[in-house]
Amino acid sequence: MSGPYILVVDDEPDIRMLLRDVLEDEGYEVALAGSVAEAKAARRSRRPDLILLDVWMPDGDGISLLKEWNEDGSLPCPVVMISGHGNVETAVDATRLGAYDFIEKPLSIDKLVITLTNALESDRLQRENQGLRRLGTTISEPVGDSAVMNSLRDQVQRMAQHDTWVLISGEAGVGKQTFARFLHAGSARRDNPFIVVAVGSLSGQEAITELFGSEQGDRVRFGLLEQAAGGVLFLDEVAEMDLQTQGRLLHALDTQRITRIGGNQPIAVNVRVVAATKVDLAEAVHQGRFREDLYYRLNVLPLKIPPLREHPEDIPALLKHHMEHLHQQEGLPERRFQAGALERLRRYHWPGNVRELRNFVQRLMILGSGEEVTREEVERTLSGQTLGEADLGAVKLFPDLPLREAREQFERQYLIHQLERSEGNMTRLAERVGLERTHLYRKFKTLGIDPKKLKTDG
């Protein structure tokens, strides 16, 4: 794998050449720009992993350029400012606009290399932690010591040594994303991004824009394919992708080229695709809902994750893991399971699989009392855990409507219900429903939901 791609923007040719030689020796891929105009063109042609940006240039200044790139409230990659005329005010402005650091000339090469390493690592960890918060756990590898789990881990470790596409299938909640992250962590791409595409939250043109990005004049929006450069693109519930997007995605990945919406310049992409599905993709192909060529492209390395009820011997380890994790991460009081409680949970069928188990443990830790979890408490908690009596109790179904209308009605009621439970907190809501905040705002707009009005009415 090639190293991170760094764009160096500086009006002094000698400094540009020196930085290129130093950074290439460090294993980075480097592009050079000597002006604001060249910097804009270079950034448009390919998304950098990091930008080294000079403050003063012949046709503008780096602070103004930083402000333009930060227009949406966040930079697309880490930016390290460099200047021979720096002052405290300039450094403060750069930091306020999102710059990772500010380095004065003459440059200390050792300091520069350390700063770039830290900036790239900080960015990687931030993206990883965001994804793990949405996943609801920080499992580094799938938990369990059964023959089933040992076999699955062995399969994944062997798959990780190759760069082929992978299709992970299994019921909802079995941990498909956990296995995908485990695969990524063991691969040669481990130091590069793991980008999740919540396919079910996208549709039509929105999906194409989200995946391929867009550009209009100097404004560039990098799509998820570019954000995943060098790493993994994880297609969560890939069966929900519409046929048009399927075709365009397959062509882009086969040719390793994309064109942003509104753009005309082909851009190279290098990603590994890992897809997940809870439905039978072969049946979806038979019904005409999924492209046959994409199915065979995805299904080179299939990985089937069995439901939890098929390896109940892993339930005690999972209960212990989630109890310890919730205690460490959320400060919830740690408790012990009595033997009778463990036996009852081993015999429970867990229709929601590992996800349901984690939610169950969290409920016991929040609502329960005492150091030990008894069988009676388990029975009481399980009896109140049916779907109709829990999170979706206030959400109605619409069996007499056409599928599209029924889905929109359900989504509208579901999101309003979850917004109320999150007390209007969009960050909490995004984590609860498993969507990016940008996806949520688009979904609200599509469904005609006004979060501010709902908060006012409440």
Side-chain angles (χ1 to χ4, degrees), residues 420 423-424 450-458:
E420 291 172 349
E423 298 178 341
D450 185 346
K452 294 180 181 177
K453 186 175 186 301
L454 285 174
K455 279 191 270 188
T456 302
D457 292 345

Side-chain angles (χ1 to χ4, degrees), residues 44 213-216 259-266:
R44 183 184 297 110
S214 62
E215 56 182 83
Q216 184 177 11
T259 302
R260 300 189 194 102
I261 306 303
N264 52 28
Q265 183 70 32

Side-chain angles (χ1 to χ4, degrees), residues 41-92:
R43 178 176 172 270
R44 183 184 297 110
S45 67
R46 181 179 174 187
R47 177 186 179 275
D49 293 308
L50 183 143
I51 300 173
L52 266 175
L53 180 60
D54 193 12
V55 172
W56 303 111
M57 284 172 284
D59 57 344
D61 67 275
I63 297 295
S64 297
L65 194 55
L66 186 67
K67 185 175 182 180
E68 178 184 315
W69 289 343
N70 194 41
E71 186 176 4
D72 294 331
S74 63
L75 293 166
C77 69
V79 175
V80 174
M81 303 296 295
I82 53 177
S83 176
H85 311 282
N87 55 50
V88 172
E89 184 179 349
T90 305
V92 169

Side-chain angles (χ1 to χ4, degrees), residues 251-321:
H251 179 264
L253 294 170
D254 279 344
T255 61
Q256 296 190 318
R257 293 285 187 278
I258 66 167
T259 302
R260 300 189 194 102
I261 306 303
N264 52 28
Q265 183 70 32
I267 301 158
V269 292
N270 171 24
V271 300
R272 181 182 192 178
V273 175
V274 178
T277 180
K278 63 186 176 187
V279 305
D280 185 343
L281 275 194
E283 180 61 25
V285 170
H286 178 71
Q287 295 173 358
R289 296 185 291 109
F290 201 82
R291 290 179 63 110
E292 185 176 29
D293 48 3
L294 179 56
Y295 168 65
Y296 286 119
R297 187 77 164 83
L298 289 171
N299 203 37
V300 175
L301 291 179
L303 182 69
K304 173 72 173 177
I305 311 298
L308 184 54
R309 61 183 173 275
E310 293 184 9
H311 53 110
E313 59 270 39
D314 290 319
I315 289 172
L318 283 163
L319 291 167
K320 184 174 185 292
H321 168 83

Side-chain angles (χ1 to χ4, degrees), residues 150-421:
N150 287 330
S151 175
L152 285 170
R153 279 193 294 265
D154 180 62
Q155 288 181 62
V156 171
Q157 287 167 347
R158 283 184 278 121
M159 290 177 176
Q161 306 312 307
H162 307 277
D163 213 34
T164 311
W165 294 15
V166 177
L167 178 62
I168 304 177
S169 60
E171 294 179 4
V174 293
K176 295 185 286 292
Q177 189 175 149
T178 298
F179 277 94
R181 289 183 180 277
F182 182 51
L183 172 74
H184 177 55
S187 74
R189 295 178 179 264
R190 67 178 67 87
D191 294 326
N192 293 315
F194 181 96
I195 299 297
V196 178
V197 183
V199 175
S201 67
L202 305 175
S203 61
Q205 188 62 35
E206 179 190 26
I208 292 174
T209 302
E210 192 74 15
L211 285 167
F212 294 89
S214 62
E215 56 182 83
Q216 184 177 11
D218 288 334
R219 297 190 63 181
V220 178
R221 175 185 173 187
F222 296 107
L224 296 175
L225 278 161
E226 288 184 85
Q227 294 179 38
V232 165
L233 189 75
F234 178 67
L235 302 174
D236 193 16
E237 297 308 334
V238 67
E240 298 184 21
M241 184 177 291
D242 65 85
L243 290 168
Q244 179 188 7
T245 307
Q246 290 176 33
R248 186 160 181 163
L249 178 64
L250 178 62
H251 179 264
L253 294 170
D254 279 344
T255 61
Q256 296 190 318
R257 293 285 187 278
I258 66 167
T259 302
R260 300 189 194 102
I261 306 303
N264 52 28
Q265 183 70 32
I267 301 158
V269 292
N270 171 24
V271 300
R272 181 182 192 178
V273 175
V274 178
T277 180
K278 63 186 176 187
V279 305
D280 185 343
L281 275 194
E283 180 61 25
V285 170
H286 178 71
Q287 295 173 358
R289 296 185 291 109
F290 201 82
R291 290 179 63 110
E292 185 176 29
D293 48 3
L294 179 56
Y295 168 65
Y296 286 119
R297 187 77 164 83
L298 289 171
N299 203 37
V300 175
L301 291 179
L303 182 69
K304 173 72 173 177
I305 311 298
L308 184 54
R309 61 183 173 275
E310 293 184 9
H311 53 110
E313 59 270 39
D314 290 319
I315 289 172
L318 283 163
L319 291 167
K320 184 174 185 292
H321 168 83
H322 287 294
M323 183 76 76
E324 292 175 349
H325 170 72
L326 289 165
H327 171 66
Q328 294 168 3
Q329 298 297 315
E330 300 184 18
L332 296 175
E334 196 168 6
R335 308 177 68 195
R336 295 187 303 274
F337 288 91
Q338 291 184 354
L342 278 178
E343 179 57 31
R344 176 65 182 93
L345 292 172
R346 282 172 60 97
R347 291 188 290 104
Y348 179 60
H349 61 293
W350 298 107
N353 295 293
V354 178
R355 184 185 299 147
E356 181 187 3
L357 182 144
R358 181 187 185 278
N359 293 342
F360 176 83
V361 171
Q362 188 173 31
R363 188 172 302 165
L364 287 175
M365 296 175 77
I366 293 173
L367 300 179
S369 60
E371 294 184 357
E372 293 191 330
V373 179
T374 66
R375 182 189 179 103
E376 291 71 26
E377 184 180 357
V378 164
E379 292 288 2
R380 287 197 307 271
T381 307
L382 289 177
S383 66
Q385 196 158 305
T386 60
L387 187 63
E389 296 171 351
D391 289 350
L392 298 184
V395 182
K396 296 183 293 184
L397 299 178
F398 302 88
D400 297 327
L401 292 179
L403 178 60
R404 181 180 294 275
E405 292 181 29
R407 178 174 175 173
E408 288 180 356
Q409 292 280 9
F410 174 82
E411 287 182 342
R412 183 179 293 108
Q413 288 206 20
Y414 172 79
L415 289 173
I416 290 173
H417 176 64
Q418 296 292 0
L419 183 65
E420 291 172 349
R421 293 193 65 203

